[in-house]
Amino acid sequence: MASQTRTTTDHDEIRRWVEEHDGHPAMVHGTTSGGGGVLRIDFPGGAGEDELEHVSWDDWFATFDDRGLALLYQTERAGGGDSTFAKLVDRSST
């Protein structure tokens, strides 16, 4: 069985998926000056607050939209389990 992925730009869908997996919108520390930083999603067991700064969904989505990004995320692992794999991709490549 192959893993299942989905790509979306829908803010509600992204927020719901992230929050269902106990994640938070974040940016890499030291990249937020000058109008938006390097976007990340902070999941439990990930890089954490040493490397990431939690931000509001409004700030995260403003940068997400300004950069023309989409979220590619894994809805199911190959073995059938839940997954928190996600990456930001250029909308034009979707």
Side-chain angles (χ1 to χ4, degrees):
M1 173 183 222
S3 65
Q4 301 294 312
T5 60
R6 177 162 167 72
T7 302
T8 186
T9 59
D10 181 273
H11 292 193
D12 292 332
E13 179 180 351
I14 293 168
R15 185 175 183 160
R16 182 174 47 253
W17 181 81
V18 169
E19 290 177 350
E20 284 174 357
H21 293 87
D22 298 323
H24 300 276
M27 292 187 188
V28 175
H29 275 300
T31 67
T32 57
S33 64
V38 177
L39 294 178
R40 295 288 185 263
I41 298 170
D42 185 21
F43 290 111
E49 292 182 16
D50 291 341
E51 310 233 349
L52 302 177
E53 175 183 342
H54 289 184
V55 296
S56 71
W57 278 114
D58 288 341
D59 290 344
W60 196 91
F61 282 124
T63 302
F64 178 82
D65 289 334
D66 286 347
R67 295 194 181 148
L69 298 173
L71 182 74
L72 181 147
Y73 66 97
Q74 189 174 37
T75 58
E76 187 176 303
R77 294 178 189 213
D82 204 16
S83 175
T84 57
F85 171 80
K87 70 178 182 176
L88 296 166
V89 297
D90 190 307
R91 287 182 190 179
S92 64
S93 65
T94 60

